[in-house]
């Protein structure tokens, strides 16, 4: 039966512009497959996304067009649905696999821990066999210890309906923070290898598709673009990227574009290309036309773009996956409440030293009050955290087991070295927060910098003033509805008369300012330093000349470098010891919340 027409809802949405070949893209989902439970604008879950892609497929295939679904990595670390199970990821892998993904790749987060990359090799790659590509990652096979590609380097395939001939690759940016069971080869070196050179020599190609956990604007993608263009001066190239947690679209030339689709299941990226050649029509007269759209991940947008409604939109598979997510969250007790936050605490909505900054809260309350190694007696300490280790805001209200993993998912412990001159610690802080100047070896942006600070931000000039960004904002967040579950459309979606425009993503990219599907008003945002410090005890003036230098272990390689610049004669790797019996930041936060943030009876 014909689905009934959707209820007319007046709202400021831009439509999708379909083409001969269409794409849906996710990146940096970091375990947020339940969507955002407190933010209606991003409240659709992986089950809804499955329904959405099935419905879009029906729509485009009815017109004889093709659809490809892409994911570019960082699927793990960042949400209780992944991080709270033992072992990590057991529920997530099962939920993920129900989406049909045509091309997927690994991010850096799949490689930090030995078990995570092992799980990619033994579970995710087989779950997506024939679709998972890994052009520049090798792994020591856990059974044979042989160094093998994590997944096939590339593939050539032909689209179902039109016979568009595609050569696809799957890259990771030049990452060097991986555990030593994997090897990431720099992109620039990989593209000189014979398999890549042979792949791009193919003359019977209508499109090169480069999926990767690589920023849309990056030296890595420019190198791949140049390598392909050396052989094919006009063949269209569509890149999909990620890692910076931003919406972005880069134009390399009139036939080569790169789309990056945000983070944390806030965004479903859409791209389309018209005017491609095909196997049956190998030459076309006109130039291809590329389009892009960033879809806010909520049911209101999904209904709008599919032309369906709450009765006609859901698919059986989508409903089943939504149920799987609900069951997994319940099995993992993710709604267990540890305390109630008295106010919102923001990552970038306010300056990092503002009373409403999450970093200020950590530096002045959590670290001084909860981080203390009793074996160190009265020794004062300075504890250093990388801002990038804090992943999300805290909302006023219930602070749950899920919240703890959302804010601090990493299993990093604290380490320390004794009796470090206080002035050297401050010098180290200065060095860490100006890392860009010190480690940059070329004019290109150095990916090393991204390994320290808050994702999506560059700290090159060391200033932290207000700047406009395209992130979601506090004004979006008052839409939080007490007690609301997921599947909530934005509040304004319910107003059919004169919809308000709420602040949110207002993306500016190489194609202009019309990329977002939902029209928002812009917001301001603040830069965050690479690292913050907390004084233990908290009173700085009472510090003696030397302190214990405590740091989150992720920082150790950066401290080695910064220590050299500060002329501190400390061997961090051999002289440091575990602090407070190996407590992790997540546990520290949970304990502090339980002790300090009581819920009203
Ligand atoms: O153990 C870890 C691993 C990573 N980080 C931080 O994560 C970001 C990178 O995250 P993306 O999602 O790839 O952008 C990096 O800036 C590290 O600061 C960490 O703190 N601990
Ligand atoms: Zn990420
Ligand atoms: Zn990443």
């Amino acid at each position: 039966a014909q689905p009934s027409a959707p209820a007319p809802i007046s709202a400021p949405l831009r439509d999708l512009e379909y083409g001969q070949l269409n794409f849906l893209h996710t990146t940096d989902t970091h375990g947020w497959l339940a969507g955002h439970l407190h933010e209606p604008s991003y409240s659709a879950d992986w089950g809804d996304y499955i329904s959405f892609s099935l419905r879009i497929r029906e729509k485009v295939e009815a017109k004889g067009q093709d659809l490809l679904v892409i994911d570019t990595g960082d699927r793990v670390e960042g949400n209780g649905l992944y991080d709270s199970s033992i072992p990590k990821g057991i529920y997530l892998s099962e939920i993920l696999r129900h989406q049909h993904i045509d091309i997927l790749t690994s991010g850096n987060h799949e490689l930090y821990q030995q078990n995570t990359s092992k799980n990619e090799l033994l579970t995710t790659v087989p779950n997506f066999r024939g679709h998972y590509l890994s052009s520049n990652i090798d792994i020591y096979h856990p059974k044979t210890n042989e160094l093998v590609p994590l997944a096939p380097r590339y593939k050539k395939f032909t689209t179902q309906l039109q016979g568009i001939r595609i050569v696809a690759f799957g890259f990771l940016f030049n990452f060097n923070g991986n555990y030593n069971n994997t090897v990431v080869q720099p992109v620039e070196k990989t593209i000189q290898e014979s398999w890549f050179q042979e792949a791009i020599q193919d003359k019977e190609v209508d499109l090169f598709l480069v999926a990767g956990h690589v920023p849309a604007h990056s030296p890595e993608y420019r190198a791949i673009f140049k390598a392909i263009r050396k052989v094919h001066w006009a063949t269209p190239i569509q890149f999909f990227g990620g890692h910076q947690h931003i919406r972005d679209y880069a134009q390399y030339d009139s036939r080569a574009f790169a789309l990056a689709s945000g983070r944390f299941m806030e965004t479903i990226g859409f791209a389309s290309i018209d005017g491609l050649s095909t196997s049956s029509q190998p030459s076309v007269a006109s130039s291809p036309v590329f389009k892009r759209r960033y879809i806010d991940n909520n049911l209101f947008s999904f209904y709008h773009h599919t032309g369906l409604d709450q009765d006609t939109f859901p698919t059986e598979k989508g409903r089943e996956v939504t149920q799987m997510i609900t069951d997994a969250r319940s099995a993992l007790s993710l709604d267990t409440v540890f305390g109630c936050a008295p106010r919102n605490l923001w990552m970038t909505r306010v300056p990092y030293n503002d009373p409403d900054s999450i970093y200020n809260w950590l530096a002045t309350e959590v670290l001084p009050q909860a981080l203390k190694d009793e074996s160190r007696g009265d020794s004062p300490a300075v504890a250093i955290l990388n801002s990038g280790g804090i992943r999300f805001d805290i909302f006023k209200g219930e602070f749950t087991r899920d919240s703890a993993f959302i804010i601090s998912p990493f299993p990093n412990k604290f380490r320390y070295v004794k009796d470090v001159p206080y002035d050297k610690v401050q010098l180290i802080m200065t060095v860490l927060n100006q890392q860009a100047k010190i480690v940059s070896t070329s004019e290109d942006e150095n990916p090393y910098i991204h390994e320290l600070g808050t994702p999506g931000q560059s700290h090159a000039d060391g200033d932290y003033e207000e700047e406009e960004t395209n992130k979601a904002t506090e004004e979006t967040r008052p839409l939080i509805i007490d007690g609301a579950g997921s599947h909530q459309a934005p509040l304004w979606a319910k107003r059919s008369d004169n919809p308000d425009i709420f602040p949110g993503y207002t993306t500016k990219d190489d194609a202009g300012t019309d990329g977002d599907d939902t029209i928002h008003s812009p917001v301001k945002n603040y830069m965050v330093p690479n690292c913050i410090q907390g004084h233990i005890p908290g009173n700085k003036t009472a510090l003696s000349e030397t302190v214990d230098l405590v740091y989150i272990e992720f920082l150790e390689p950066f401290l080695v470098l910064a220590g050299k610049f500060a002329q501190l004669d400390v061997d961090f790797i051999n002289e440091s010891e575990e602090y407070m019996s190996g407590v992790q930041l997540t546990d520290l936060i949970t304990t502090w919340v339980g002790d300090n943030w009581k819920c009203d009876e």
Side-chain angles (χ1 to χ4, degrees), residues 28 30 74 108-109 112 243 245 386 388-389 391 410 412 450-453 455 554:
D28 295 272
H30 287 286
D74 276 9
N108 48 311
H109 280 268
Y112 281 115
H243 181 58
H245 292 192
N386 61 312
R391 306 290 284 185
F410 306 120
N412 297 154
H450 298 303
E451 273 312 292
L452 198 51
F554 178 81

Side-chain angles (χ1 to χ4, degrees), residues 362 366-367 371 385-386 389-390 404 407-408 410-414 552 582-591:
L362 286 163
V366 180
L367 294 176
L371 186 65
L385 295 181
N386 61 312
I390 305 303
I407 290 149
S408 171
F410 306 120
N412 297 154
K413 297 173 180 166
F414 285 92
I552 199 98
V583 71
Q584 297 179 7
L585 181 60
T586 319
D587 302 326
L588 209 65
I589 291 173
T590 309
T591 309

Side-chain angles (χ1 to χ4, degrees), residues 336-458:
T336 300
V337 176
F338 293 133
C340 287
R343 63 189 194 280
N344 296 323
L345 291 172
W346 306 111
M347 285 175 66
T348 55
R349 275 281 302 164
V350 295
Y352 76 97
N353 51 5
D354 187 279
D356 290 336
S357 157
I358 193 165
Y359 303 108
N360 188 61
W361 169 71
L362 286 163
T364 62
E365 298 191 61
V366 180
L367 294 176
Q369 293 164 22
L371 186 65
K372 180 73 194 165
D373 189 328
E374 294 306 333
S375 75
R376 295 299 296 145
D378 289 338
S379 305
V382 172
I384 304 182
L385 295 181
N386 61 312
S387 62
I390 305 303
R391 306 290 284 185
F392 205 62
D393 307 313
I394 295 177
F395 298 136
K396 182 180 175 181
E398 290 181 349
F399 185 100
T400 63
R401 187 168 147 76
D402 199 20
S403 318
F405 287 105
I406 280 173
I407 290 149
S408 171
F410 306 120
N412 297 154
K413 297 173 180 166
F414 285 92
R415 299 189 69 76
Y416 79 109
V417 285
K418 294 177 189 136
D419 304 330
V420 179
Y422 182 73
D423 58 346
K424 291 283 182 198
V425 175
Q426 293 315 307
L427 198 50
I428 282 175
M429 277 300 290
T430 306
V431 173
L432 288 171
N433 282 335
Q434 296 197 339
Q435 195 71 274
K437 279 183 188 152
I438 289 152
V439 299
S440 271
T441 52
S442 75
E443 295 204 350
D444 289 333
E445 207 181 354
N446 192 325
Y448 188 72
I449 305 156
H450 298 303
E451 273 312 292
L452 198 51
T454 308
Q457 299 194 348
S458 156

Side-chain angles (χ1 to χ4, degrees), residues 276-309:
L276 291 169
S277 57
T278 68
S279 51
S280 56
Q281 207 183 352
S283 59
V284 280
S286 62
S287 289
V289 177
F290 290 73
K291 300 281 182 193
R292 55 85 181 90
R293 190 70 81 221
Y294 310 102
I295 302 170
D296 274 10
N297 180 41
N298 62 66
L299 285 178
F300 177 70
S301 279
F302 289 178
Y303 295 161
H304 178 89
H305 296 306
T306 54
L308 300 171
D309 62 21

Side-chain angles (χ1 to χ4, degrees), residues 103 105 133-135 153-155 167-171 195-196 199-200 208-212 224 228:
I103 301 291
T105 70
L133 297 180
S134 179
S135 299
R153 299 288 191 223
Y154 77 105
K155 79 176 215 174
V167 169
F169 303 99
F171 278 94
W195 69 264
F196 182 85
I200 62 170
F208 285 100
L209 172 57
V210 185
I224 295 171
I228 296 174

Side-chain angles (χ1 to χ4, degrees), residues 319-340:
R319 280 202 168 111
E320 278 168 18
V321 172
T322 295
Q323 189 58 49
M324 283 176 78
I325 294 169
T326 307
D327 294 346
R329 286 185 53 81
S330 160
L332 293 167
S333 307
L334 291 183
D335 293 327
T336 300
V337 176
F338 293 133
C340 287

